[in-house]
Amino acid sequence: MEALIVENLTAGYPKLPLAIDDVSFTLAEGERAALIGPNGAGKSTLLKTLVGLIPHQGGCISLHGYDCSLSHTLLGYVPQQESIDWNFPVTVQDVVMMGRTRKIGWLRWAGRSDQAIVQQALERVGMASFRHRQIGQLSGGQKRRVFIARALAQETDVLLLDEPFNGVDVTAQEEIMSTLDKLRDEGITVLLATHDLNLAATQFDKLLILNKRLIACGKPDETFTPENLHAAYGGRMSVIHHNNHDDFVLVAD
Ligand code: ADP
Ligand code: MG
């Protein structure tokens, strides 16, 4: 079954050329897809459009068969982390409760069931014992896991993550990947923007290669080709295959 169906999606910013043009793809339930493309390719714009932060100018988004305009709350979104003020005096638990806001509404207090959902979301990412910590005191990997919990607290089964590996070390990257492995076992569908091409080629079920238009979409071993990478990145990249295609090294021309 398809979880997400995107057809002919077009979006951008006022008075500027389109940022994404005629993008169509599907994600099956439980599938883990990587979204790659050069800087400015429209990766963040695509994720923000899917989640309704940017209006789309054309096309449609369907989640589990629901029309996009009715179902934005079904999508969990983990924004790029660089813009977050980590000195903001909120606890881990507070951050995850923000994921309940759209369900709770602004006019009533969080109830017992909201607290139970927050607790469960923290357990699913292995962060329950940190719930009273101030968010700024956590490591990079822990912060990202808390934001994944915030998205899960929306009671969603489709997660969009924007460059979660930016600015974290190898340990944090492994932490995030193992959280994603656990969510895959639970049947959560993931679309993750990254500029780590090796990770995209080896750790994901599907690759979406974007440069304003979708250049390729499919299994990594079918789409991670020199032709597609050249089409996305221009003449700046070459691909060298190693170890029976298990490893890729990218070199700038
Ligand atoms: P990526 O995430 O792949 O680096 P973006 O989605 O951020 O790409 O950007 C796609 C295009 O949209 C770029 O040309 C970028 O300059 C432009 N853009 C992104 N955000 C804004 C914005 N808030 N206002 C105007 N243009 C933007
Ligand atoms: Mg981006």
Side-chain angles (χ1 to χ4, degrees), residues 12-14 16-20 37-46 48 54 80 162-163 193 210:
Y13 303 89
L16 288 170
L18 289 174
I20 52 167
N39 277 339
K43 301 182 294 297
S44 296
T45 303
L46 174 58
K48 286 179 189 168
I54 296 175
Q80 230 169 308
D162 201 351
E163 306 259 15
L210 184 72

Side-chain angles (χ1 to χ4, degrees), residues 163-211:
E163 306 259 15
F165 305 118
N166 265 15
V168 300
D169 59 18
V170 177
T171 315
Q173 181 174 313
E174 283 166 1
E175 233 175 80
I176 298 162
M177 275 316 297
S178 72
T179 301
L180 294 178
D181 286 343
K182 188 163 168 284
L183 296 177
R184 173 149 69 181
D185 294 342
E186 294 178 18
I188 303 283
T189 308
V190 164
L191 177 60
L192 183 152
T194 181
H195 62 242
D196 188 330
L197 302 189
N198 292 310
L199 205 68
T202 55
Q203 301 292 321
F204 289 81
D205 308 315
K206 188 177 257 181
L207 261 191
L208 276 69
I209 305 178
L210 184 72
N211 193 352

